[in-house]
Amino acid sequence: MSAEVTLYGARYSVYVRAALMALESKGVSYDLVPVDIFSGADDLAAYREIHPFGRIPALRDGDFILYETAAINRYIDEGFLGPRLQPAETQSRARMTQIMSMTDSYAYRPLVWDVYVERVSNPQEGKPTDEALISAALPKARTYLKALHYLMGRQAFLADETPTLADFHAAPVFAYFLEAAEGRAVLAEFPRVQNWWSRIQATDAFKRAHA
Ligand SMILES: N[C@@H](CCC(=O)N[C@@H](CS)C(=O)NCC(=O)O)C(=O)O
């Protein structure tokens, strides 16, 4: 039986992982077509026919092509059977969108590129670490986690009592950030966020997307 949708991308990407978490949560069958955006290969020109900005992921459902992870994940939730991945209540749904946007705008670059890549990935690849980038990123990371602490309040997940698209946006960013000792130290300052991390990490969707 053929898969319901095609996802283009690579499993190392936080945004691909966010889409995989949505697909896995919903139980949608998919083919993951490998696109290694950092390979520098000439054949990426063909991928730009699908995603003109050359980022991953992109989704194909029949003739319908969609890029931008927030749009992809809303489509997966609204277009397929399975558990609801967006809060029913208007204000919670607005919080979900807010947290997704905050993660894109204020967390992805400092937590993944400035902390994880500089502290963990560059040394593994024999590249130098820019300590100034890490130092500048940590206050930004603290601001993000502090905001999550207040916005999630006493809920089990970031925008509701069950996982939503907000959790799928944030969790892959945390997975990289927490590979760095500095990331783990920042998380320890925010016990509510730390408890959320334990819960989201334990979900099958997280495990399958990060396998
Ligand atoms: N706004 C895009 C961001 C996707 C994105 O930046 N993906 C990264 C991988 S995690 C990428 O493709 N980077 C390639 C590049 O920066 O050239 C989305 O929401 O899908």
Side-chain angles (χ1 to χ4, degrees):
M1 211 176 82
S2 63
E4 289 169 277
V5 299
T6 302
L7 192 71
Y8 298 88
R11 281 189 173 272
Y12 60 68
S13 154
V14 297
Y15 285 101
V16 170
R17 290 175 178 182
L20 289 172
M21 286 183 76
L23 290 166
E24 294 286 358
S25 299
K26 216 69 189 168
V28 177
S29 61
Y30 58 89
D31 283 328
L32 181 62
V33 172
V35 177
D36 185 358
I37 214 73
F38 298 115
S39 70
D42 295 340
D43 62 1
L44 288 180
Y47 179 64
R48 283 186 183 268
E49 297 288 319
I50 293 171
H51 194 319
F53 300 96
R55 300 289 182 101
I56 49 175
L59 179 102
R60 182 195 289 278
D61 181 10
D63 293 337
F64 181 64
I65 289 176
L66 190 62
Y67 52 86
E68 291 303 296
T69 306
I72 289 171
N73 278 2
R74 284 206 181 92
Y75 180 75
I76 292 167
D77 185 34
E78 292 166 19
F80 296 88
L81 297 173
R84 269 189 81 121
L85 304 177
Q86 301 177 76
E89 202 266 315
T90 304
Q91 290 188 348
S92 301
R93 206 160 57 251
R95 283 275 180 255
M96 179 201 76
T97 306
Q98 179 186 9
I99 291 169
M100 291 163 77
S101 182
M102 277 165 46
T103 304
D104 288 337
S105 303
Y106 314 125
Y108 171 61
R109 185 136 291 270
L111 277 69
V112 176
W113 285 95
D114 298 347
V115 175
Y116 165 76
V117 171
E118 292 299 328
R119 176 61 74 224
V120 180
S121 165
N122 278 357
Q124 282 171 355
E125 293 176 16
K127 295 179 188 165
T129 292
D130 185 339
E131 294 291 343
L133 271 184
I134 298 176
S135 301
L138 290 175
K140 296 177 191 171
R142 241 176 229 110
T143 301
Y144 174 64
L145 270 77
K146 189 175 179 182
L148 291 181
H149 166 90
Y150 283 114
L151 294 176
M152 74 179 289
R154 304 271 168 207
Q155 291 173 137
F157 291 91
L158 295 180
D160 210 339
E161 292 299 342
T162 54
T164 72
L165 306 185
D167 303 290
F168 304 164
H169 240 66
V173 169
F174 272 80
Y176 277 129
F177 181 56
L178 298 177
E179 285 196 40
E182 288 93 337
R184 295 191 291 276
V186 172
L187 181 65
E189 296 170 24
F190 300 96
R192 272 187 215 164
V193 184
Q194 197 162 34
N195 289 339
W196 161 79
W197 172 243
S198 304
R199 281 190 284 270
I200 193 72
Q201 224 188 350
T203 61
D204 287 343
F206 179 94
K207 289 180 195 160
R208 292 200 185 113
H210 292 76

